[in-house]
Short mmCIF file of all heavy atoms in Angstrom, two decimals:
data_model
loop_
_atom_site.label_atom_id
_atom_site.label_comp_id
_atom_site.label_asym_id
_atom_site.label_seq_id
_atom_site.Cartn_x
_atom_site.Cartn_y
_atom_site.Cartn_z
N MET A 268 0.86 -1.16 0.00
CA MET A 268 0.00 0.00 0.00
C MET A 268 0.91 1.23 0.00
O MET A 268 1.90 1.27 0.71
CB MET A 268 -0.90 0.01 1.23
CG MET A 268 -1.80 1.20 1.25
SD MET A 268 -3.08 1.15 2.50
CE MET A 268 -2.16 1.50 3.95
N HIS A 269 0.54 2.19 -0.81
CA HIS A 269 1.36 3.39 -0.95
C HIS A 269 0.49 4.63 -0.80
O HIS A 269 -0.53 4.77 -1.47
CB HIS A 269 2.06 3.39 -2.30
CG HIS A 269 2.85 2.15 -2.52
ND1 HIS A 269 4.03 1.90 -1.87
CD2 HIS A 269 2.60 1.08 -3.30
CE1 HIS A 269 4.48 0.74 -2.24
NE2 HIS A 269 3.64 0.21 -3.10
N TRP A 270 0.92 5.52 0.07
CA TRP A 270 0.23 6.77 0.36
C TRP A 270 0.19 7.64 -0.88
O TRP A 270 1.17 7.75 -1.60
CB TRP A 270 0.97 7.44 1.51
CG TRP A 270 0.33 8.64 2.10
CD1 TRP A 270 0.86 9.90 2.12
CD2 TRP A 270 -0.90 8.73 2.80
NE1 TRP A 270 0.03 10.77 2.78
CE2 TRP A 270 -1.08 10.06 3.21
CE3 TRP A 270 -1.91 7.81 3.10
CZ2 TRP A 270 -2.19 10.50 3.90
CZ3 TRP A 270 -3.01 8.25 3.79
CH2 TRP A 270 -3.15 9.56 4.19
N ASN A 271 -0.93 8.26 -1.12
CA ASN A 271 -1.11 9.02 -2.35
C ASN A 271 -0.93 10.52 -2.20
O ASN A 271 -1.16 11.26 -3.14
CB ASN A 271 -2.51 8.74 -2.92
CG ASN A 271 -2.44 8.36 -4.37
OD1 ASN A 271 -1.37 8.25 -4.95
ND2 ASN A 271 -3.58 8.16 -4.96
N HIS A 272 -0.52 10.96 -1.04
CA HIS A 272 -0.31 12.39 -0.82
C HIS A 272 1.19 12.66 -0.73
O HIS A 272 1.95 11.80 -0.29
CB HIS A 272 -1.02 12.83 0.46
CG HIS A 272 -2.50 12.56 0.42
ND1 HIS A 272 -3.37 13.30 -0.36
CD2 HIS A 272 -3.26 11.61 1.02
CE1 HIS A 272 -4.59 12.83 -0.21
NE2 HIS A 272 -4.55 11.80 0.62
N PRO A 273 1.62 13.83 -1.16
CA PRO A 273 3.05 14.13 -1.12
C PRO A 273 3.63 14.05 0.29
O PRO A 273 3.03 14.52 1.24
CB PRO A 273 3.14 15.57 -1.64
CG PRO A 273 1.85 15.80 -2.36
CD PRO A 273 0.83 14.93 -1.69
N VAL A 274 4.78 13.40 0.39
CA VAL A 274 5.54 13.30 1.64
C VAL A 274 6.99 13.61 1.27
O VAL A 274 7.52 13.03 0.33
CB VAL A 274 5.43 11.90 2.27
CG1 VAL A 274 6.30 11.78 3.51
CG2 VAL A 274 3.98 11.56 2.58
N ALA A 275 7.60 14.49 2.00
CA ALA A 275 8.97 14.95 1.65
C ALA A 275 9.95 13.79 1.49
O ALA A 275 10.80 13.81 0.60
CB ALA A 275 9.47 15.93 2.71
N GLU A 276 9.84 12.76 2.31
CA GLU A 276 10.79 11.65 2.26
C GLU A 276 10.47 10.61 1.18
O GLU A 276 11.25 9.69 0.96
CB GLU A 276 10.84 10.92 3.62
CG GLU A 276 11.29 11.77 4.78
CD GLU A 276 10.15 12.60 5.38
OE1 GLU A 276 8.97 12.19 5.29
OE2 GLU A 276 10.45 13.66 5.93
N HIS A 277 9.33 10.70 0.54
CA HIS A 277 8.92 9.71 -0.46
C HIS A 277 9.26 10.21 -1.86
O HIS A 277 9.03 11.37 -2.19
CB HIS A 277 7.42 9.44 -0.38
CG HIS A 277 7.02 8.83 0.93
ND1 HIS A 277 5.72 8.55 1.23
CD2 HIS A 277 7.74 8.44 2.02
CE1 HIS A 277 5.64 8.02 2.45
NE2 HIS A 277 6.86 7.95 2.94
N LEU A 278 9.77 9.32 -2.68
CA LEU A 278 10.12 9.69 -4.05
C LEU A 278 8.90 9.81 -4.96
O LEU A 278 8.92 10.58 -5.92
CB LEU A 278 11.09 8.66 -4.64
CG LEU A 278 12.43 8.52 -3.92
CD1 LEU A 278 13.26 7.42 -4.57
CD2 LEU A 278 13.18 9.84 -3.94
N TRP A 279 7.86 9.02 -4.68
CA TRP A 279 6.67 8.99 -5.52
C TRP A 279 5.41 8.94 -4.67
O TRP A 279 5.43 8.50 -3.54
CB TRP A 279 6.66 7.76 -6.42
CG TRP A 279 7.79 7.66 -7.38
CD1 TRP A 279 8.06 8.51 -8.40
CD2 TRP A 279 8.80 6.66 -7.41
NE1 TRP A 279 9.18 8.09 -9.07
CE2 TRP A 279 9.66 6.96 -8.49
CE3 TRP A 279 9.08 5.54 -6.65
CZ2 TRP A 279 10.75 6.18 -8.83
CZ3 TRP A 279 10.16 4.77 -6.97
CH2 TRP A 279 10.99 5.09 -8.05
N THR A 280 4.29 9.34 -5.27
CA THR A 280 2.99 9.11 -4.65
C THR A 280 2.58 7.67 -4.96
O THR A 280 3.23 6.98 -5.75
CB THR A 280 1.92 10.06 -5.21
OG1 THR A 280 1.70 9.75 -6.60
CG2 THR A 280 2.30 11.53 -5.04
N GLY A 281 1.51 7.22 -4.35
CA GLY A 281 1.04 5.86 -4.59
C GLY A 281 0.71 5.60 -6.04
O GLY A 281 1.09 4.58 -6.61
N ASP A 282 0.02 6.53 -6.69
CA ASP A 282 -0.34 6.34 -8.10
C ASP A 282 0.91 6.32 -8.98
O ASP A 282 0.98 5.55 -9.94
CB ASP A 282 -1.31 7.42 -8.57
CG ASP A 282 -2.73 7.19 -8.06
OD1 ASP A 282 -3.07 6.03 -7.75
OD2 ASP A 282 -3.48 8.17 -7.99
N GLU A 283 1.89 7.15 -8.66
CA GLU A 283 3.12 7.16 -9.45
C GLU A 283 3.88 5.84 -9.28
O GLU A 283 4.34 5.25 -10.26
CB GLU A 283 4.01 8.33 -9.04
CG GLU A 283 3.45 9.67 -9.42
CD GLU A 283 4.16 10.84 -8.76
OE1 GLU A 283 4.86 10.64 -7.75
OE2 GLU A 283 3.99 11.96 -9.27
N LEU A 284 3.98 5.37 -8.06
CA LEU A 284 4.68 4.13 -7.81
C LEU A 284 3.94 2.94 -8.42
O LEU A 284 4.57 2.00 -8.91
CB LEU A 284 4.88 3.90 -6.31
CG LEU A 284 5.73 2.71 -5.92
CD1 LEU A 284 7.10 2.76 -6.58
CD2 LEU A 284 5.88 2.65 -4.41
N ALA A 285 2.62 2.99 -8.43
CA ALA A 285 1.85 1.92 -9.06
C ALA A 285 2.23 1.78 -10.53
O ALA A 285 2.39 0.67 -11.04
CB ALA A 285 0.35 2.21 -8.93
N GLY A 286 2.42 2.89 -11.22
CA GLY A 286 2.84 2.85 -12.61
C GLY A 286 4.24 2.29 -12.78
O GLY A 286 4.52 1.53 -13.72
N VAL A 287 5.14 2.65 -11.87
CA VAL A 287 6.51 2.13 -11.91
C VAL A 287 6.50 0.61 -11.75
O VAL A 287 7.11 -0.12 -12.52
CB VAL A 287 7.39 2.79 -10.83
CG1 VAL A 287 8.72 2.10 -10.70
CG2 VAL A 287 7.57 4.28 -11.13
N LEU A 288 5.79 0.12 -10.73
CA LEU A 288 5.76 -1.32 -10.48
C LEU A 288 5.08 -2.08 -11.62
O LEU A 288 5.51 -3.18 -11.97
CB LEU A 288 5.05 -1.61 -9.17
CG LEU A 288 5.78 -1.16 -7.91
CD1 LEU A 288 4.90 -1.34 -6.68
CD2 LEU A 288 7.08 -1.95 -7.75
N ALA A 289 4.04 -1.50 -12.20
CA ALA A 289 3.33 -2.17 -13.30
C ALA A 289 4.22 -2.34 -14.52
O ALA A 289 3.97 -3.21 -15.35
CB ALA A 289 2.07 -1.39 -13.65
N SER A 290 5.27 -1.54 -14.64
CA SER A 290 6.14 -1.63 -15.81
C SER A 290 7.34 -2.55 -15.59
O SER A 290 8.15 -2.72 -16.51
CB SER A 290 6.63 -0.23 -16.20
OG SER A 290 7.54 0.26 -15.23
N VAL A 291 7.45 -3.16 -14.43
CA VAL A 291 8.59 -4.06 -14.15
C VAL A 291 8.37 -5.38 -14.89
O VAL A 291 7.37 -6.07 -14.66
CB VAL A 291 8.75 -4.31 -12.63
CG1 VAL A 291 9.81 -5.36 -12.36
CG2 VAL A 291 9.08 -3.02 -11.92
N PRO A 292 9.31 -5.75 -15.77
CA PRO A 292 9.16 -7.02 -16.49
C PRO A 292 9.14 -8.20 -15.51
O PRO A 292 9.86 -8.21 -14.51
CB PRO A 292 10.42 -7.08 -17.36
CG PRO A 292 10.92 -5.68 -17.45
CD PRO A 292 10.51 -5.02 -16.16
N GLY A 293 8.29 -9.15 -15.79
CA GLY A 293 8.23 -10.35 -14.97
C GLY A 293 7.25 -10.28 -13.83
O GLY A 293 7.01 -11.28 -13.16
N LEU A 294 6.65 -9.11 -13.58
CA LEU A 294 5.62 -9.01 -12.55
C LEU A 294 4.24 -9.01 -13.18
O LEU A 294 4.03 -8.41 -14.23
CB LEU A 294 5.79 -7.72 -11.72
CG LEU A 294 6.98 -7.64 -10.78
CD1 LEU A 294 6.94 -6.33 -10.00
CD2 LEU A 294 7.00 -8.82 -9.82
N ALA A 295 3.32 -9.68 -12.53
CA ALA A 295 1.93 -9.72 -13.00
C ALA A 295 1.06 -9.08 -11.92
O ALA A 295 1.14 -9.46 -10.74
CB ALA A 295 1.49 -11.15 -13.25
N LEU A 296 0.26 -8.12 -12.30
CA LEU A 296 -0.65 -7.46 -11.37
C LEU A 296 -1.80 -8.40 -11.06
O LEU A 296 -2.50 -8.87 -11.95
CB LEU A 296 -1.18 -6.16 -11.99
CG LEU A 296 -2.13 -5.34 -11.15
CD1 LEU A 296 -1.47 -4.86 -9.87
CD2 LEU A 296 -2.66 -4.16 -11.95
N LEU A 297 -1.99 -8.71 -9.77
CA LEU A 297 -3.04 -9.63 -9.37
C LEU A 297 -4.25 -8.92 -8.78
O LEU A 297 -5.38 -9.37 -8.91
CB LEU A 297 -2.49 -10.63 -8.34
CG LEU A 297 -1.29 -11.45 -8.80
CD1 LEU A 297 -0.79 -12.33 -7.67
CD2 LEU A 297 -1.63 -12.26 -10.03
N ALA A 298 -4.02 -7.81 -8.09
CA ALA A 298 -5.10 -7.04 -7.48
C ALA A 298 -4.72 -5.57 -7.47
O ALA A 298 -3.56 -5.23 -7.30
CB ALA A 298 -5.38 -7.52 -6.06
N ASP A 299 -5.70 -4.71 -7.67
CA ASP A 299 -5.45 -3.27 -7.72
C ASP A 299 -6.64 -2.56 -7.09
O ASP A 299 -7.76 -2.63 -7.60
CB ASP A 299 -5.27 -2.84 -9.17
CG ASP A 299 -4.77 -1.41 -9.33
OD1 ASP A 299 -4.73 -0.67 -8.33
OD2 ASP A 299 -4.42 -1.04 -10.45
N HIS A 300 -6.40 -1.90 -5.97
CA HIS A 300 -7.45 -1.16 -5.28
C HIS A 300 -6.96 0.28 -5.10
O HIS A 300 -5.88 0.50 -4.58
CB HIS A 300 -7.73 -1.78 -3.91
CG HIS A 300 -8.76 -1.04 -3.13
ND1 HIS A 300 -10.11 -1.25 -3.30
CD2 HIS A 300 -8.63 -0.08 -2.18
CE1 HIS A 300 -10.78 -0.45 -2.48
NE2 HIS A 300 -9.91 0.28 -1.80
N ARG A 301 -7.75 1.23 -5.55
CA ARG A 301 -7.36 2.64 -5.47
C ARG A 301 -8.41 3.42 -4.70
O ARG A 301 -9.61 3.22 -4.86
CB ARG A 301 -7.23 3.26 -6.86
CG ARG A 301 -6.34 2.52 -7.83
CD ARG A 301 -4.88 2.68 -7.49
NE ARG A 301 -4.06 1.94 -8.42
CZ ARG A 301 -3.40 2.46 -9.43
NH1 ARG A 301 -3.43 3.74 -9.65
NH2 ARG A 301 -2.68 1.68 -10.21
N GLU A 302 -7.92 4.30 -3.86
CA GLU A 302 -8.75 5.28 -3.17
C GLU A 302 -8.04 6.62 -3.27
O GLU A 302 -6.89 6.68 -3.70
CB GLU A 302 -8.96 4.88 -1.71
CG GLU A 302 -9.76 3.59 -1.58
CD GLU A 302 -10.17 3.28 -0.15
OE1 GLU A 302 -10.04 4.17 0.72
OE2 GLU A 302 -10.63 2.17 0.08
N ASP A 303 -8.70 7.69 -2.88
CA ASP A 303 -8.07 9.00 -2.94
C ASP A 303 -6.76 9.04 -2.13
O ASP A 303 -5.80 9.68 -2.53
CB ASP A 303 -9.01 10.09 -2.42
CG ASP A 303 -10.17 10.34 -3.36
OD1 ASP A 303 -10.07 9.97 -4.55
OD2 ASP A 303 -11.17 10.92 -2.91
N ASP A 304 -6.73 8.33 -1.01
CA ASP A 304 -5.58 8.41 -0.11
C ASP A 304 -4.46 7.42 -0.42
O ASP A 304 -3.33 7.63 0.01
CB ASP A 304 -6.02 8.19 1.34
CG ASP A 304 -6.89 9.33 1.84
OD1 ASP A 304 -6.69 10.47 1.39
OD2 ASP A 304 -7.77 9.07 2.67
N PHE A 305 -4.74 6.33 -1.10
CA PHE A 305 -3.70 5.33 -1.31
C PHE A 305 -3.96 4.46 -2.53
O PHE A 305 -5.07 4.41 -3.06
CB PHE A 305 -3.54 4.43 -0.07
CG PHE A 305 -4.75 3.59 0.24
CD1 PHE A 305 -4.92 2.34 -0.35
CD2 PHE A 305 -5.71 4.04 1.12
CE1 PHE A 305 -6.03 1.56 -0.07
CE2 PHE A 305 -6.82 3.27 1.42
CZ PHE A 305 -6.98 2.02 0.82
N ALA A 306 -2.90 3.77 -2.94
CA ALA A 306 -2.97 2.74 -3.98
C ALA A 306 -2.51 1.44 -3.34
O ALA A 306 -1.46 1.39 -2.70
CB ALA A 306 -2.08 3.09 -5.16
N LEU A 307 -3.30 0.38 -3.49
CA LEU A 307 -2.96 -0.92 -2.93
C LEU A 307 -2.91 -1.91 -4.09
O LEU A 307 -3.89 -2.08 -4.81
CB LEU A 307 -4.01 -1.35 -1.91
CG LEU A 307 -3.91 -2.76 -1.36
CD1 LEU A 307 -2.62 -2.92 -0.58
CD2 LEU A 307 -5.10 -3.07 -0.48
N GLN A 308 -1.76 -2.52 -4.28
CA GLN A 308 -1.60 -3.48 -5.37
C GLN A 308 -0.91 -4.74 -4.85
O GLN A 308 -0.12 -4.68 -3.92
CB GLN A 308 -0.74 -2.90 -6.49
CG GLN A 308 -1.38 -1.73 -7.19
CD GLN A 308 -0.48 -1.19 -8.26
OE1 GLN A 308 0.65 -0.81 -7.98
NE2 GLN A 308 -0.96 -1.17 -9.48
N THR A 309 -1.24 -5.85 -5.50
CA THR A 309 -0.58 -7.12 -5.23
C THR A 309 -0.04 -7.64 -6.54
O THR A 309 -0.75 -7.67 -7.54
CB THR A 309 -1.57 -8.15 -4.63
OG1 THR A 309 -2.14 -7.61 -3.45
CG2 THR A 309 -0.88 -9.44 -4.31
N PHE A 310 1.24 -8.01 -6.53
CA PHE A 310 1.89 -8.55 -7.72
C PHE A 310 2.39 -9.95 -7.44
O PHE A 310 2.64 -10.32 -6.30
CB PHE A 310 3.12 -7.69 -8.10
CG PHE A 310 2.76 -6.33 -8.62
CD1 PHE A 310 2.59 -5.26 -7.77
CD2 PHE A 310 2.63 -6.12 -9.99
CE1 PHE A 310 2.28 -4.01 -8.24
CE2 PHE A 310 2.30 -4.87 -10.48
CZ PHE A 310 2.13 -3.81 -9.61
N GLY A 311 2.52 -10.73 -8.50
CA GLY A 311 3.15 -12.04 -8.43
C GLY A 311 4.11 -12.18 -9.59
O GLY A 311 4.05 -11.40 -10.55
N ARG A 312 4.99 -13.14 -9.51
CA ARG A 312 5.91 -13.37 -10.63
C ARG A 312 5.15 -14.01 -11.78
O ARG A 312 4.47 -15.02 -11.60
CB ARG A 312 7.05 -14.27 -10.21
CG ARG A 312 7.98 -13.62 -9.23
CD ARG A 312 9.25 -14.45 -9.10
NE ARG A 312 10.09 -13.92 -8.06
CZ ARG A 312 10.96 -12.94 -8.24
NH1 ARG A 312 11.09 -12.40 -9.43
NH2 ARG A 312 11.69 -12.50 -7.25
N ALA A 313 5.26 -13.43 -12.95
CA ALA A 313 4.60 -13.98 -14.13
C ALA A 313 5.23 -15.32 -14.50
O ALA A 313 6.41 -15.57 -14.21
CB ALA A 313 4.73 -13.01 -15.30
N ASN A 314 4.46 -16.17 -15.13
CA ASN A 314 4.97 -17.44 -15.65
C ASN A 314 5.91 -17.16 -16.81
O ASN A 314 5.88 -16.07 -17.40
CB ASN A 314 3.80 -18.33 -16.09
CG ASN A 314 2.97 -18.78 -14.91
OD1 ASN A 314 3.51 -19.23 -13.90
ND2 ASN A 314 1.66 -18.66 -15.02
N PRO A 315 6.75 -18.12 -17.18
CA PRO A 315 7.70 -17.90 -18.28
C PRO A 315 7.03 -17.45 -19.59
O PRO A 315 7.64 -16.72 -20.37
CB PRO A 315 8.38 -19.26 -18.44
CG PRO A 315 8.30 -19.87 -17.08
CD PRO A 315 6.96 -19.41 -16.53
N ASP A 316 5.78 -17.87 -19.81
CA ASP A 316 5.09 -17.45 -21.04
C ASP A 316 4.44 -16.08 -20.91
O ASP A 316 3.77 -15.61 -21.82
CB ASP A 316 4.05 -18.50 -21.45
CG ASP A 316 2.90 -18.63 -20.47
OD1 ASP A 316 2.88 -17.91 -19.44
OD2 ASP A 316 2.01 -19.46 -20.73
N GLY A 317 4.60 -15.43 -19.74
CA GLY A 317 4.05 -14.10 -19.52
C GLY A 317 2.68 -14.09 -18.88
O GLY A 317 2.17 -13.05 -18.50
N SER A 318 2.06 -15.26 -18.74
CA SER A 318 0.74 -15.31 -18.12
C SER A 318 0.86 -15.11 -16.61
O SER A 318 1.92 -15.34 -16.02
CB SER A 318 0.08 -16.66 -18.42
OG SER A 318 0.82 -17.72 -17.85
N PRO A 319 -0.22 -14.66 -15.98
CA PRO A 319 -0.16 -14.43 -14.53
C PRO A 319 -0.03 -15.74 -13.77
O PRO A 319 -0.41 -16.80 -14.28
CB PRO A 319 -1.49 -13.74 -14.22
CG PRO A 319 -2.38 -14.05 -15.36
CD PRO A 319 -1.51 -14.30 -16.55
N PRO A 320 0.50 -15.68 -12.55
CA PRO A 320 0.60 -16.90 -11.74
C PRO A 320 -0.78 -17.39 -11.35
O PRO A 320 -1.76 -16.65 -11.36
CB PRO A 320 1.40 -16.45 -10.52
CG PRO A 320 1.16 -14.99 -10.42
CD PRO A 320 0.98 -14.50 -11.83
N ALA A 321 -0.83 -18.67 -10.99
CA ALA A 321 -2.10 -19.24 -10.53
C ALA A 321 -2.50 -18.60 -9.21
O ALA A 321 -1.65 -18.15 -8.43
CB ALA A 321 -1.94 -20.75 -10.34
N SER A 322 -3.78 -18.55 -8.96
CA SER A 322 -4.26 -18.05 -7.68
C SER A 322 -3.83 -19.03 -6.58
O SER A 322 -3.51 -20.20 -6.87
CB SER A 322 -5.79 -17.95 -7.69
OG SER A 322 -6.37 -19.25 -7.67
N PRO A 323 -3.80 -18.59 -5.33
CA PRO A 323 -3.45 -19.52 -4.25
C PRO A 323 -4.34 -20.76 -4.25
O PRO A 323 -3.85 -21.87 -4.03
CB PRO A 323 -3.62 -18.69 -2.98
CG PRO A 323 -3.34 -17.28 -3.43
CD PRO A 323 -3.94 -17.22 -4.82
N ALA A 324 -5.64 -20.58 -4.48
CA ALA A 324 -6.55 -21.74 -4.47
C ALA A 324 -6.23 -22.69 -5.63
O ALA A 324 -6.20 -23.90 -5.46
CB ALA A 324 -8.00 -21.27 -4.57
N ALA A 325 -5.95 -22.14 -6.81
CA ALA A 325 -5.60 -22.99 -7.96
C ALA A 325 -4.27 -23.67 -7.73
O ALA A 325 -4.08 -24.84 -8.07
CB ALA A 325 -5.57 -22.15 -9.23
N ASP A 326 -3.33 -22.96 -7.14
CA ASP A 326 -2.00 -23.52 -6.87
C ASP A 326 -2.10 -24.71 -5.92
O ASP A 326 -1.31 -25.65 -6.02
CB ASP A 326 -1.10 -22.43 -6.29
CG ASP A 326 0.36 -22.79 -6.34
OD1 ASP A 326 0.80 -23.38 -7.36
OD2 ASP A 326 1.07 -22.48 -5.37
N GLU A 327 -3.06 -24.68 -5.00
CA GLU A 327 -3.26 -25.77 -4.05
C GLU A 327 -4.21 -26.85 -4.56
O GLU A 327 -4.49 -27.81 -3.86
CB GLU A 327 -3.79 -25.21 -2.72
CG GLU A 327 -2.80 -24.35 -1.98
CD GLU A 327 -1.59 -25.13 -1.46
OE1 GLU A 327 -1.77 -26.30 -1.06
OE2 GLU A 327 -0.49 -24.57 -1.47
N GLY A 328 -4.73 -26.68 -5.80
CA GLY A 328 -5.63 -27.67 -6.38
C GLY A 328 -7.04 -27.61 -5.82
O GLY A 328 -7.78 -28.58 -5.92
N LEU A 329 -7.42 -26.49 -5.22
CA LEU A 329 -8.74 -26.36 -4.63
C LEU A 329 -9.81 -25.96 -5.63
O LEU A 329 -11.00 -26.15 -5.36
CB LEU A 329 -8.69 -25.36 -3.47
CG LEU A 329 -7.73 -25.72 -2.34
CD1 LEU A 329 -7.63 -24.57 -1.34
CD2 LEU A 329 -8.17 -26.99 -1.65
N VAL A 330 -9.41 -25.39 -6.75
CA VAL A 330 -10.38 -24.99 -7.78
C VAL A 330 -9.89 -25.47 -9.13
O VAL A 330 -8.74 -25.74 -9.34
CB VAL A 330 -10.61 -23.47 -7.84
CG1 VAL A 330 -11.29 -23.01 -6.57
CG2 VAL A 330 -9.32 -22.71 -8.06
#
């Protein structure tokens, strides 16, 4: 979770950092929740073919 308001010690706001992380090769965005005050994202390592990783339930064979 990243605060979306300017803070002197922070290099980016939450929305700015969300864009930086989304552009990292090999990461797959799994969840993205935005509010005025913050950006909350969850990433996983993409599969070798670029597809997103399996969900925890799929990884455990539950679905």
Side-chain angles (χ1 to χ4, degrees):
M268 180 170 75
H269 305 287
W270 188 241
N271 231 3
H272 301 287
V274 176
E276 298 84 27
H277 297 178
L278 299 177
W279 298 297
T280 66
D282 284 337
E283 291 167 342
L284 186 55
V287 170
L288 291 172
S290 70
V291 173
L294 289 183
L296 181 62
L297 303 177
D299 190 350
H300 178 84
R301 307 287 179 101
E302 295 189 12
D303 290 340
D304 293 328
F305 65 87
L307 172 64
Q308 294 179 302
T309 302
F310 291 88
R312 291 193 186 274
N314 292 313
D316 66 0
S318 63
S322 72
D326 196 39
E327 293 293 324
L329 300 173
V330 293

